[in-house]
Amino acid sequence: MNAPADFSHLLARAREPFPASTKSWINGSCADLRVPVRDIRLTNGELVSVYDTSGPYTDPAAEIDVRRGLADVRGGWIAARGDTESYDGRQRQALDDGQRGEDAARLAVLREQASALQRTPRRAKAGANVTQMHYAKRGIVTPEMEYVALRENGKREWMAQYMQDAAREQRLAGNPLGASIPRIITPEFVRDEVARGRAIIPSNINHPEVEPMAIGRNFKVKINANIGNSAVTSSIEEEVEKLVWAIRWGADNVMDLSTGKNIHTTRDWIIRNSPVPIGTVPIYQALEKVGGIAEDLTWEIFRDTLIEQAEQGVDYFTIHAGVRLAFIHLTANRRTGIVSRGGSIMAKWCMAHHRESFLYEHFEDICDIMKAYDVSFSLGDGLRPGCASDANDEAQFAELHTLGELTKTAWKHDVQTMIEGPGHVPMHLIQANMTEQLKTCHEAPFYTLGPLTIDIAPGYDHIASAIGAAMIGWMGTSMLCYVTPKEHLGLPDREDVKQGIMAYKIAAHAADVAKGHPGARARDDALSQARFEFRWQDQFNLGLDPETAQEYHDETLPKDAAKVAHFCSMCGPKFCSMKITQEVREYAAARGMAESDGLAAGMQAKAEEFNRAGGEFYVPIHPVS
Amino acid sequence: MNAPADFSHLLARAREPFPASTKSWINGSCADLRVPVRDIRLTNGELVSVYDTSGPYTDPAAEIDVRRGLADVRGGWIAARGDTESYDGRQRQALDDGQRGEDAARLAVLREQASALQRTPRRAKAGANVTQMHYAKRGIVTPEMEYVALRENGKREWMAQYMQDAAREQRLAGNPLGASIPRIITPEFVRDEVARGRAIIPSNINHPEVEPMAIGRNFKVKINANIGNSAVTSSIEEEVEKLVWAIRWGADNVMDLSTGKNIHTTRDWIIRNSPVPIGTVPIYQALEKVGGIAEDLTWEIFRDTLIEQAEQGVDYFTIHAGVRLAFIHLTANRRTGIVSRGGSIMAKWCMAHHRESFLYEHFEDICDIMKAYDVSFSLGDGLRPGCASDANDEAQFAELHTLGELTKTAWKHDVQTMIEGPGHVPMHLIQANMTEQLKTCHEAPFYTLGPLTIDIAPGYDHIASAIGAAMIGWMGTSMLCYVTPKEHLGLPDREDVKQGIMAYKIAAHAADVAKGHPGARARDDALSQARFEFRWQDQFNLGLDPETAQEYHDETLPKDAAKVAHFCSMCGPKFCSMKITQEVREYAAARGMAESDGLAAGMQAKAEEFNRAGGEFYVPIHPVS
């Protein structure tokens, strides 16, 4: 990333609270269970409380030293279950960092920086299964589940007035399209969703710093941001700053897609400092270990890599076990063939050995590892379409059916599982993706990349894909992997990451509103009310990006006075439709509007009043007509 | 707009052809009928030809003097019909420019600058009706209709290979959702669509410079950009530069929403230099003439303003005749009341006089003016929702039904008509808008603003609304009015205008692809093919914004060599899924893939070949998994 030099300075800035915002907590049933939210104080005294992904970083009271890592959130809960043990763990090797000795001195420095981040790994005791799904199936409501319930509800008090409208009018209630979201999320509901596999709580026992969150169709739609892929890392601060920047703007999950050297050590830094679940694609590191020769990959090397990353605390693994030997030829007539990196690695391996994928053949062995640490599956779509004209083809759906079969196997082992989806899909083919996934994968959470609805927008693919993401999110997708403006062109820098996250927060929220997620609309209503009442500052502060909103407003009306001005910056103080609406409202309140006589009389009165008052004039919000 | 000082310089830059592009023409049935397209020459010799809204400005051979205006395109056609006459026209007054003498000197200068732009107006001969709809209903195929047909088809030769795929596979054919788009658009089809009111060709006889285009459900989805609203204009160049900038990036229509002083003279500059239809909201100027006091508006002043603008050549008028006295109280319980400027002007007038709207009562008188110049109606939605929670309410639909009734009246006079729509609509309420509009307005073209799907994205409303625009475009909306990042916050500058247009070109194209507009997908396929074959330069040049795409690519891989590099800038030259696909393809071509024996044998051969070849490695297009 083209990030500036002083990362500790950037990190300090990324820790500043949002305007008019304070972090507060919703207390759970025990002292060590408190769920963070961001409270936005409005100028009219109202308080709007929103979902907060930014972790302790936006808590001025939190003392954070990225070289020591974040405070432990879940450690007590994990220990209390008594089904895990700490152990020495696997011996770290230079090869874990892609080293064959050539850079030993540099590696030593990096490891020294990270030495305080090392933790003794835990694993399930012999014969135990420590997945949230395993507990859920046995009727146990874990603190993680309670945490998720409180987090999904948020502070309902302030929403009450807005939620009443939705209850009153069907048009405001949304259309869930088959989702079944209760008005109040209870811990028991979370348990049931996890037990039936319709939601996951990515939470490796070796990532106790994580603030639990759920990915599932009956919860808020989540978004994932990718980091990594950078050149040789300069410092802990740089890696952590990328992470903090992404979660500040609302990333619910982060995938570390780093390749090349020092990836093991980099991962230590990211996980120890991350309050959100971290996902990886282990085949990338396994490939590094065999010098980049796919044919040389073996089950043993891959297995060793899974354990290495599970011990570090990775919360979910993308595993491309659906790329089977028999499917590869189905991509032969595609316009852009295989575009998934993991998918093409496995395709090459299968072709080179003319053997079935070792990921497919060893899938149950993988499950045994997952359940010993509670790592979740993100079953990768290695055969996803790389362009609109390859969407919904035979190769894509053949793999999807296999992912459904593997889901059943994972669930047999009580391993939490979600399914990755495309990619590139024109609008008219999106519904079929969702319908097929729900049917063949038994409602396991769907996690899609976009999809991009057209291919002619390089430089603007965050927009081309936000359209598809919003639609598929409404239809039932649980998490949306963001796309940045640099997609297909280059590596995203900080600004690209922010632009990608903004586009996806919009898509995810549009989906929540359309699905009728209880209270999702409340923030929109609060902002619209502020707009109507000319509370400019509230309008900025309730938005996804208060700084940019205020900056744009200031370009036209720089003075502070304008922040309380009773007119709209588009057209000046001369005319305002809002004023008229106020007058209509006063009248309507005074009279029953039902019968037209009342109306006529009222209008007559209004007319006289107007003519007395004379015409002070304002302007409206929309520049058009 | 915060535009730089030297507009003639900016104008010169905005005239530069796009990379690898040349303007060419499709010849019609007569010498003076030739339709411009932009031909993009690819590095593999292929030629991709795209719809071109930029007018003569991107033709290096065209000599353009903005102080004299563009060359005449339609003059001969209009004269040949022999049903119009030129006449002295209405006497221009200082008040037309919002002047009461205070700024006379400045106005004199501005008028002097524009003196060469003055043209003698034409109107229908007594008793004649000169609308395209009138001709269409009488079975006459006008040159304008033939122009539109050729323009909608474009050069079909290059699309053939791509269109075959769509013919072969249903999934690529799109889902028209009730639209009926023929594979080839004939002039007769255009005539029929105009005759039945399902499409309009905005083309005032006093705007002979316009390059005819159609707005209708069975044609490409079009976009509108708004200009004007600026402070006192500095020069002709500034106004014209805004226009040229908007059409360079793809605006099919431009609305001049200027208010305040000098708007008559500014409009002369814009229309005389515009190759795209120009729309206005005449009530804005009428309001200026009565000093901003809505109550003082009269039918006579409004009528005079319509004639003034019709003589100048405005192609369509937004008329808020659906804001009836009896509907105003329906907005009483709204969260944001009336947000349309025109709507609130009329609401205030109705309430002040306690009378029915003079626009509604004089609607047939307005029709008489429209048909004498072929000005089209854009029936304004003065009661559109201003936020998600007011969407699809009683007030909105009451007005929509009235617009349907007025459409019938306009059609009785053979006046071309389209219907304006919201605004702010969450995804789950969008379909109802389209369904109601098609039903109550008898398939007259729908022209929507967005709609915005959420309210919490100030600073990013071009994205929040592009989601709704793409969806409603697919469902049947004919033209999308853009929203810029400054919506609700301030006045858009040049960059905001470009960002708004980009988001809406994406939405409109996504809709065309989903509807299965013949050939719409061809450009996507050509770009994806270039991507697959690592023809970087072609990938940039086929995109909506070649400059930005190349700039983003160069940030990561600056060297020219990288433009032909056989790897993707995301992950370096080490590994590429595309390579594998090529190998799969060669194999599949050599063998019948049907029976698994063939496959097995093939895979075996492939395996050996691989092991002989050994592992050169590349990387794929998508950074994720």
Coordinates of all heavy atoms in Angstrom, one line a residue, chain A residues 298-337:
Chain A
T298 N 1.8 -30.9 -0.8 CA 1.4 -32.2 -0.3 C 0.4 -32.0 0.9 O 0.4 -30.9 1.5 CB 2.6 -33.0 0.3 OG1 3.1 -32.3 1.4 CG2 3.7 -33.2 -0.7
W299 N -0.3 -33.0 1.2 CA -1.3 -32.9 2.3 C -0.5 -32.6 3.6 O -0.9 -31.7 4.4 CB -2.0 -34.2 2.5 CG -2.6 -34.4 3.8 CD1 -2.3 -35.4 4.7 CD2 -3.6 -33.6 4.5 NE1 -3.0 -35.2 5.9 CE2 -3.8 -34.1 5.7 CE3 -4.3 -32.4 4.1 CZ2 -4.7 -33.5 6.7 CZ3 -5.1 -31.8 5.0 CH2 -5.4 -32.4 6.3
E300 N 0.7 -33.2 3.8 CA 1.4 -33.0 5.0 C 1.8 -31.5 5.2 O 1.7 -31.0 6.3 CB 2.7 -33.9 5.0 CG 2.4 -35.4 5.1 CD 1.6 -36.0 3.9 OE1 1.8 -35.4 2.8 OE2 0.8 -36.9 4.1
I301 N 2.3 -30.9 4.1 CA 2.7 -29.5 4.2 C 1.5 -28.6 4.5 O 1.5 -27.7 5.3 CB 3.4 -29.0 2.9 CG1 4.8 -29.7 2.8 CG2 3.5 -27.5 2.8 CD1 5.4 -29.6 1.4
F302 N 0.4 -28.9 3.8 CA -0.8 -28.1 4.0 C -1.4 -28.3 5.4 O -1.7 -27.3 6.1 CB -1.9 -28.6 3.0 CG -3.2 -27.7 3.0 CD1 -3.1 -26.4 2.5 CD2 -4.3 -28.1 3.7 CE1 -4.3 -25.6 2.5 CE2 -5.4 -27.3 3.7 CZ -5.4 -26.1 3.2
R303 N -1.4 -29.5 5.9 CA -1.8 -29.8 7.3 C -1.0 -29.1 8.3 O -1.5 -28.4 9.2 CB -1.7 -31.3 7.5 CG -2.2 -31.8 8.9 CD -2.1 -33.3 9.1 NE -2.6 -33.7 10.4 CZ -1.9 -33.4 11.5 NH1 -0.7 -32.8 11.5 NH2 -2.5 -33.8 12.7
D304 N 0.3 -29.1 8.1 CA 1.2 -28.4 9.0 C 0.9 -26.9 9.0 O 0.9 -26.2 10.1 CB 2.7 -28.6 8.6 CG 3.7 -27.9 9.4 OD1 3.7 -28.2 10.6 OD2 4.3 -27.0 8.9
T305 N 0.5 -26.4 7.8 CA 0.2 -24.9 7.7 C -1.1 -24.6 8.4 O -1.2 -23.6 9.1 CB 0.2 -24.5 6.2 OG1 1.4 -24.9 5.6 CG2 -0.1 -23.0 6.1
L306 N -2.1 -25.5 8.3 CA -3.3 -25.3 9.0 C -3.1 -25.2 10.6 O -3.6 -24.3 11.2 CB -4.3 -26.4 8.7 CG -4.9 -26.5 7.3 CD1 -5.9 -27.7 7.3 CD2 -5.5 -25.2 6.9
I307 N -2.3 -26.1 11.1 CA -2.0 -26.1 12.5 C -1.2 -24.9 12.9 O -1.5 -24.2 13.9 CB -1.2 -27.4 12.9 CG1 -2.2 -28.6 12.7 CG2 -0.7 -27.3 14.3 CD1 -1.5 -30.0 12.8
E308 N -0.3 -24.5 12.1 CA 0.5 -23.3 12.4 C -0.4 -22.1 12.5 O -0.3 -21.3 13.5 CB 1.5 -23.1 11.2 CG 2.2 -21.7 11.2 CD 3.0 -21.5 9.9 OE1 3.1 -22.4 9.1 OE2 3.5 -20.3 9.8
Q309 N -1.3 -21.9 11.6 CA -2.2 -20.7 11.6 C -3.3 -20.9 12.7 O -3.7 -19.9 13.3 CB -2.8 -20.5 10.2 CG -1.8 -20.2 9.1 CD -2.4 -19.7 7.9 OE1 -3.6 -19.3 7.8 NE2 -1.6 -19.6 6.8
A310 N -3.8 -22.1 12.9 CA -4.8 -22.3 13.9 C -4.2 -21.9 15.3 O -4.9 -21.3 16.2 CB -5.2 -23.7 13.9
E311 N -2.9 -22.3 15.5 CA -2.3 -21.9 16.8 C -2.1 -20.4 17.0 O -2.1 -19.9 18.1 CB -0.9 -22.6 16.9 CG -1.0 -24.1 17.1 CD 0.4 -24.8 17.1 OE1 1.4 -24.1 16.8 OE2 0.4 -26.0 17.5
Q312 N -2.0 -19.7 15.8 CA -1.8 -18.3 15.9 C -3.1 -17.6 16.2 O -3.1 -16.5 16.8 CB -1.2 -17.7 14.6 CG 0.2 -18.0 14.4 CD 0.7 -17.4 13.1 OE1 0.4 -17.8 12.0 NE2 1.5 -16.3 13.2
G313 N -4.2 -18.2 15.8 CA -5.5 -17.7 16.2 C -6.4 -17.2 15.0 O -7.4 -16.5 15.1
V314 N -6.0 -17.7 13.8 CA -6.9 -17.4 12.6 C -8.3 -17.9 12.8 O -8.5 -19.0 13.3 CB -6.3 -18.0 11.3 CG1 -7.2 -17.8 10.1 CG2 -4.9 -17.4 11.0
D315 N -9.3 -17.1 12.5 CA -10.7 -17.4 12.9 C -11.4 -18.2 11.8 O -12.3 -19.0 12.1 CB -11.5 -16.2 13.2 CG -10.9 -15.4 14.4 OD1 -11.0 -16.0 15.5 OD2 -10.2 -14.4 14.2
Y316 N -11.0 -18.0 10.5 CA -11.6 -18.8 9.5 C -10.6 -19.0 8.3 O -9.8 -18.1 8.0 CB -12.9 -18.3 8.9 CG -13.0 -16.9 8.4 CD1 -12.8 -16.7 7.0 CD2 -13.3 -15.9 9.2 CE1 -12.9 -15.4 6.5 CE2 -13.4 -14.6 8.7 CZ -13.2 -14.3 7.4 OH -13.3 -13.1 6.9
F317 N -10.7 -20.2 7.7 CA -9.8 -20.6 6.6 C -10.6 -20.7 5.3 O -11.7 -21.3 5.3 CB -9.2 -21.9 6.8 CG -8.2 -22.0 7.9 CD1 -8.0 -23.2 8.6 CD2 -7.3 -21.0 8.3 CE1 -7.1 -23.3 9.7 CE2 -6.4 -21.1 9.3 CZ -6.2 -22.3 10.0
T318 N -10.2 -20.0 4.3 CA -10.7 -20.3 3.0 C -10.1 -21.6 2.4 O -8.9 -21.6 2.3 CB -10.5 -19.1 2.0 OG1 -11.2 -18.0 2.4 CG2 -10.9 -19.5 0.6
I319 N -10.9 -22.6 2.2 CA -10.4 -23.9 1.7 C -11.1 -24.2 0.4 O -12.4 -24.3 0.4 CB -10.7 -25.0 2.7 CG1 -10.2 -24.6 4.1 CG2 -10.2 -26.3 2.2 CD1 -8.8 -24.9 4.4
H320 N -10.4 -24.4 -0.7 CA -11.0 -24.6 -2.0 C -11.2 -26.1 -2.3 O -10.7 -26.6 -3.3 CB -10.1 -23.9 -3.1 CG -9.9 -22.4 -2.9 ND1 -8.9 -21.8 -2.2 CD2 -10.7 -21.4 -3.4 CE1 -9.1 -20.5 -2.3 NE2 -10.2 -20.3 -3.0
A321 N -11.9 -26.7 -1.4 CA -12.0 -28.2 -1.5 C -13.0 -28.6 -2.6 O -13.2 -29.7 -2.9 CB -12.4 -28.8 -0.2
G322 N -13.7 -27.6 -3.1 CA -14.7 -27.9 -4.1 C -14.2 -27.9 -5.6 O -14.9 -28.3 -6.5
V323 N -12.9 -27.6 -5.7 CA -12.3 -27.7 -7.0 C -11.8 -29.1 -7.3 O -10.7 -29.5 -6.9 CB -11.1 -26.7 -7.1 CG1 -10.4 -26.8 -8.5 CG2 -11.5 -25.3 -6.8
R324 N -12.7 -29.9 -7.9 CA -12.4 -31.3 -8.1 C -11.9 -31.6 -9.5 O -12.2 -30.8 -10.4 CB -13.7 -32.2 -7.8 CG -14.3 -32.0 -6.4 CD -15.3 -33.1 -6.2 NE -14.8 -34.4 -6.3 CZ -15.5 -35.5 -6.2 NH1 -16.8 -35.4 -5.9 NH2 -15.0 -36.7 -6.3
L325 N -11.1 -32.6 -9.6 CA -10.5 -33.0 -10.8 C -11.5 -33.0 -12.0 O -11.3 -32.4 -13.0 CB -9.8 -34.4 -10.7 CG -9.2 -35.0 -12.0 CD1 -8.0 -34.1 -12.5 CD2 -8.7 -36.4 -11.7
A326 N -12.7 -33.6 -11.7 CA -13.7 -33.7 -12.8 C -14.3 -32.4 -13.2 O -15.0 -32.4 -14.2 CB -14.7 -34.7 -12.3
F327 N -14.1 -31.4 -12.4 CA -14.8 -30.1 -12.8 C -13.9 -29.2 -13.7 O -14.4 -28.3 -14.3 CB -15.2 -29.3 -11.6 CG -16.1 -30.0 -10.6 CD1 -16.2 -29.7 -9.3 CD2 -17.0 -31.0 -11.1 CE1 -17.1 -30.3 -8.4 CE2 -17.8 -31.7 -10.3 CZ -17.9 -31.3 -8.9
I328 N -12.6 -29.5 -13.6 CA -11.7 -28.5 -14.3 C -12.0 -28.3 -15.7 O -11.9 -27.2 -16.2 CB -10.2 -29.0 -14.0 CG1 -9.9 -29.0 -12.5 CG2 -9.2 -28.1 -14.8 CD1 -8.6 -29.7 -12.1
H329 N -12.3 -29.4 -16.4 CA -12.5 -29.2 -17.9 C -13.8 -28.4 -18.2 O -13.9 -27.8 -19.3 CB -12.7 -30.6 -18.6 CG -14.0 -31.3 -18.3 ND1 -14.2 -31.9 -17.1 CD2 -15.1 -31.3 -19.0 CE1 -15.4 -32.4 -17.1 NE2 -16.0 -32.1 -18.3
L330 N -14.6 -28.2 -17.2 CA -15.9 -27.4 -17.4 C -15.5 -25.9 -17.6 O -16.4 -25.2 -18.0 CB -16.8 -27.6 -16.2 CG -17.3 -29.0 -15.9 CD1 -18.2 -29.0 -14.6 CD2 -18.1 -29.5 -17.1
T331 N -14.3 -25.6 -17.2 CA -13.9 -24.2 -17.4 C -13.3 -23.9 -18.8 O -12.9 -22.8 -19.1 CB -12.9 -23.7 -16.4 OG1 -11.7 -24.5 -16.6 CG2 -13.3 -24.0 -15.0
A332 N -13.3 -25.0 -19.6 CA -12.5 -24.9 -20.9 C -13.1 -23.8 -21.8 O -12.4 -23.1 -22.5 CB -12.5 -26.2 -21.6
N333 N -14.4 -23.7 -21.8 CA -15.0 -22.8 -22.8 C -15.4 -21.4 -22.2 O -16.1 -20.6 -22.8 CB -16.3 -23.4 -23.4 CG -16.0 -24.7 -24.2 OD1 -15.0 -24.7 -24.9 ND2 -16.8 -25.7 -24.0
R334 N -14.9 -21.2 -21.0 CA -15.1 -19.9 -20.4 C -14.3 -18.8 -21.1 O -13.3 -19.0 -21.7 CB -14.7 -19.9 -18.9 CG -15.7 -20.6 -18.0 CD -15.2 -20.6 -16.6 NE -16.2 -20.7 -15.7 CZ -16.1 -20.6 -14.3 NH1 -14.9 -20.3 -13.8 NH2 -17.1 -20.8 -13.5
R335 N -14.9 -17.5 -20.9 CA -14.2 -16.4 -21.5 C -12.9 -16.1 -20.7 O -11.9 -15.7 -21.2 CB -15.1 -15.2 -21.5 CG -14.5 -14.0 -22.2 CD -15.5 -12.8 -22.4 NE -16.6 -13.3 -23.3 CZ -16.5 -13.4 -24.6 NH1 -15.4 -13.2 -25.2 NH2 -17.6 -13.8 -25.3
T336 N -13.0 -16.2 -19.3 CA -11.9 -15.9 -18.5 C -11.5 -17.0 -17.6 O -10.7 -16.8 -16.6 CB -12.2 -14.6 -17.6 OG1 -13.3 -14.8 -16.9 CG2 -12.4 -13.4 -18.5
G337 N -11.9 -18.2 -17.9 CA -11.4 -19.4 -17.2 C -11.5 -19.4 -15.7 O -12.5 -19.1 -15.1

